[in-house]
Amino acid sequence: VVKDTVIELPESNNSSYILHAGTRLDDKSVLRVNGGRVLNVVSISNNLESAREAAYKLNEKIKMHGRQYRGDLGLYFPKI
């Protein structure tokens, strides 16, 4: 993602939310990429499968030109 790209975020909810890392607000309060790993999407649920599904569902709603994300997170988790 190119620095200064505009980011449009969906509303978070009680169990899924977005953490900012490489973001900034410009002088007009527009959210923009500032570099590095830009956002983290987190979801909490009773089990890993539903948490993963909810996180990726929220992730799909993020609008940012050239965005990239990993699609394998939460797939390979050891049984304890």
Side-chain angles (χ1 to χ4, degrees):
V1 178
V2 177
K3 188 171 182 174
D4 292 323
T5 298
V6 174
I7 305 167
E8 294 179 41
L9 297 179
E11 292 292 321
S12 296
N13 57 52
N14 290 336
S15 62
S16 298
Y17 50 96
I18 300 168
L19 302 174
H20 296 248
T23 63
R24 71 175 180 85
L25 290 175
D26 68 12
D27 58 349
K28 295 180 181 170
S29 295
V30 174
L31 186 63
R32 294 186 177 271
V33 171
N34 200 40
R37 291 195 169 106
V38 180
L39 302 167
N40 292 302
V41 180
V42 179
S43 186
I44 299 168
S45 184
N46 292 330
N47 62 66
L48 179 62
E49 292 81 17
S50 62
R52 182 179 187 279
E53 182 179 322
Y56 277 101
K57 191 174 208 174
L58 182 59
N59 178 56
E60 289 174 3
K61 297 176 183 177
I62 296 170
K63 295 180 182 174
M64 176 174 44
H65 179 74
R67 76 186 186 100
Q68 300 173 354
Y69 62 91
R70 288 186 53 177
D72 63 333
L73 299 175
L75 284 179
Y76 310 106
F77 196 81
K79 300 282 184 193
I80 298 175

